[in-house]
Amino acid sequence: MRKIAIGLFLLSLYCHSFSQSDPLQQVVSNRSNSIEQQKKPYVILISADGFRYDYAEKYQAGNLLALSNSGVRAASMIPSYPSLTFPNHYSLVTGLYPSHHGIVSNYFYDKTIEQVYSMKGDSTVGDGKWYGGTPLWVLAEQQQMLTASFYWIGSEAAIQQTRPTYYYKYESNESFTIDQRIQVVVNWLQLPVEKRPHLITFYISDVDHAGHTYGPDAPETREAVLGVDAAIGKMVKAVSATGLPVNFIFLADHGMTRIDTSRHLFMPAVVDSSKFVIPRGLELVALYAKNKKDILPLYQQLKKQEKYFKTYLPTNMPAYLHYSKSDDRMNRIGDILLIPDWPYTFANRGRKLNPGAHGFNAYLIKDMHATFFAWGPAFKNIKIDSFENVNVYPVISAILGLPYSFKIDGTPALAKQILKIRSSL
Ligand code: AMP
Ligand code: ZN
Ligand code: ZN
């Protein structure tokens, strides 16, 4: 017994010193919760990248199944088009479709400023000028409620001059074990009331990595799913020990599908790469013309050569995808779009194709659908149908009592359906 007590004491010292001496945590100084915000509940928004809608059942993720059974379980959540990581994480926190918030792909070209955005570029990922809309953490901080992020797309950038009070640069991803990340969350929740964040975003990449590398049906993907499940179990246990009214939302940005790797699609030879800017992309290839007069002739040629892919102009994309010319608020959608026919993707010459991919139209390919589970004092116990991910924003703003007067693409219908509290809806 004594040994255990000493062990626990040493562990708490270690955790304490870990939080005190964490040089990677970025802290915006001189912020505090207003008295009114201190009375509000808490939300932990967890994204497990690529956690397909059926993974919890398929791989018997016991903690997630039990927790969602006590709260909200959606049949699936429908990602916005394209079903890629950056557009969808940013849709979740802005309530806007990608064409409206501006992160229209993982890589894209802005025709107005003539620059390429890259998910791999520190200078683009951390630059607020790329990000439209009002992310939830900005909405909260503007109303004197503190927020924290253990990663989220956009959280490193000053959007409307505002970052979360506590955040990490994604480059630190390799530096933390999952247990350390959970400890950081607990530490945040144990800060004095005026310094304690009410919204915490948390991101885990493992399931997406395994899904790409081994495919959605592989034992490695099962392991990754069960690893996330164990982490959630630990986090919930550690967080409930704080006794705070914490609401959990566990979701994903998109799903994952098996690719037929026997066929490699390459950029059609008719595309003259000196006449178009072509950012990276395998499930959606966007061509941006340097000269407008080159668009139609190439489009017509490509239409005649469609084999295992389709060619679109942004004027003839299906309206329900909200990825048309008329949706393109920031002038960032390609002039010609090449979309592979499932289950194929485009390939880079000399590179092996991954057996798992996403990015496809979620209304045609169900494998693109994501998980949505939620539990905690604000949530009813209910099973619901599939819904679009732009509707998560009103749920979180209602739980935290954060009004907004601007227009978003999501509606309050989901919040009304799944929340016990209705006052601010
Ligand atoms: P995707 O190609 O759409 O599967 O992108 C997934 C990748 O995005 C992950 O494997 C991460 O490496 C990367 N990623 C996720 N969050 C961030 C972030 N906040 N900043 C930079 N990269 C990220
Ligand atoms: Zn992703
Ligand atoms: Zn991915």
Side-chain angles (χ1 to χ4, degrees):
M1 199 61 199
R2 232 185 106 146
K3 266 193 191 152
I4 295 177
I6 294 171
L8 282 176
F9 176 68
L10 289 177
L11 182 72
S12 76
L13 270 188
Y14 164 76
C15 294
H16 187 69
S17 63
F18 170 71
S19 69
Q20 297 292 301
S21 62
D22 176 2
L24 296 173
Q25 186 173 150
Q26 314 287 313
V27 181
V28 181
S29 51
N30 296 326
R31 286 194 189 152
S32 295
N33 287 308
S34 69
I35 301 283
E36 194 196 331
Q37 302 299 19
Q38 290 173 23
K39 299 173 198 144
K40 300 276 183 73
Y42 299 84
V43 172
I44 304 181
L45 172 64
I46 305 162
S47 165
D49 199 310
F51 202 107
R52 201 170 73 186
Y53 72 101
D54 61 340
Y55 274 180
E57 292 267 9
K58 179 176 166 78
Y59 293 125
Q60 284 302 299
N63 292 319
L64 285 166
L65 289 175
L67 290 162
S68 59
N69 234 356
S70 74
V72 183
R73 190 185 295 181
S76 71
M77 183 170 68
I78 307 167
S80 302
Y81 188 80
S83 51
L84 296 170
T85 299
F86 273 56
N88 279 287
H89 276 96
Y90 203 57
S91 284
L92 284 160
V93 294
T94 57
L96 295 170
Y97 296 119
S99 58
H100 294 166
H101 63 53
I103 306 299
V104 299
S105 194
N106 286 345
Y107 304 86
F108 59 88
Y109 181 65
D110 184 307
K111 292 176 251 179
T112 315
I113 58 173
E114 300 183 350
Q115 288 174 20
V116 171
Y117 176 95
S118 162
M119 66 179 268
K120 296 258 195 279
D122 291 343
S123 61
T124 50
V125 161
D127 185 346
K129 78 172 179 220
W130 293 97
Y131 301 88
T134 303
L136 282 161
W137 60 81
V138 174
L139 184 71
E141 299 282 359
Q142 285 171 346
Q143 299 182 34
Q144 274 196 65
M145 172 188 278
L146 300 198
T147 65
S149 173
F150 216 132
Y151 309 134
W152 202 272
I153 275 74
S155 62
E156 296 170 44
I159 300 171
Q160 300 177 34
Q161 287 84 52
T162 307
R163 292 185 173 92
T165 300
Y166 313 99
Y167 68 98
Y168 286 86
K169 296 190 173 155
Y170 194 71
E171 65 195 20
S172 66
N173 192 25
E174 304 290 317
S175 309
F176 297 97
T177 64
I178 191 72
D179 287 351
Q180 287 173 326
R181 294 171 199 220
I182 292 170
Q183 187 57 49
V184 169
V185 170
V186 173
N187 292 345
W188 279 333
L189 291 172
Q190 287 175 335
L191 287 170
V193 276
E194 67 279 7
K195 294 291 173 194
R196 193 183 297 155
H198 283 257
L199 170 65
I200 297 174
T201 68
F202 195 88
Y203 170 81
I204 314 170
S205 65
D206 308 29
V207 172
D208 182 69
H209 282 178
H212 281 298
T213 314
Y214 305 104
D217 305 315
E220 290 86 349
T221 302
R222 176 176 177 275
E223 282 306 304
V225 166
L226 295 180
V228 166
D229 187 62
I232 300 305
K234 277 190 196 173
M235 189 196 285
V236 169
K237 203 162 166 213
V239 165
S240 46
T242 66
L244 293 170
V246 180
N247 297 287
F248 289 86
I249 300 177
F250 175 89
L251 48 67
D253 47 352
H254 50 70
M256 187 66 68
T257 194
R258 213 189 144 77
I259 293 301
D260 182 344
T261 53
S262 67
R263 187 178 303 286
H264 287 58
L265 310 185
F266 295 114
M267 184 67 72
V270 290
V271 177
D272 178 347
S273 60
S274 70
K275 292 186 173 165
F276 291 85
V277 176
I278 311 173
R280 287 169 63 169
L282 302 179
E283 298 82 18
L284 168 64
V285 179
L287 312 179
Y288 299 82
K290 294 179 184 167
N291 189 331
K292 295 257 169 255
K293 75 172 178 33
D294 293 324
I295 299 172
L296 265 185
L298 178 61
Y299 171 71
Q300 278 150 2
Q301 278 176 297
L302 284 165
K303 277 308 274 179
K304 284 187 221 138
Q305 301 187 3
E306 284 182 344
K307 207 165 178 204
Y308 308 113
F309 72 90
K310 299 276 178 301
T311 316
Y312 291 90
L313 295 171
T315 42
N316 59 21
M317 283 288 279
Y320 66 85
L321 292 180
H322 309 280
Y323 209 75
S324 305
K325 188 86 198 149
S326 56
D327 298 300
D328 191 11
R329 284 197 193 147
M330 307 237 192
N331 203 20
R332 292 176 178 175
I333 294 179
D335 296 312
I336 299 176
L337 304 172
L338 306 182
I339 301 178
D341 294 338
W342 180 89
Y344 305 113
T345 66
F346 281 96
N348 293 315
R349 283 196 192 276
R351 293 277 302 266
K352 252 183 71 191
L353 273 181
N354 272 326
H358 53 88
F360 297 93
N361 177 347
Y363 292 89
L364 301 179
I365 310 300
K366 178 86 190 266
D367 280 354
M368 294 301 102
H369 287 209
T371 294
F372 178 94
F373 298 153
W375 62 91
F379 291 105
K380 294 181 194 162
N381 188 197
I382 186 172
K383 299 225 178 336
I384 59 167
D385 284 343
S386 305
F387 64 88
E388 292 188 5
N389 67 357
V390 291
N391 296 302
V392 170
Y393 192 97
V395 173
I396 297 177
S397 68
I399 297 173
L400 296 176
L402 298 169
Y404 52 91
S405 51
F406 44 83
K407 227 184 113 29
I408 61 165
D409 295 315
T411 75
L414 175 69
K416 283 188 181 137
Q417 191 184 9
I418 67 176
L419 293 181
K420 290 179 188 161
I421 43 162
R422 307 196 49 148
S423 51
S424 52
L425 297 174

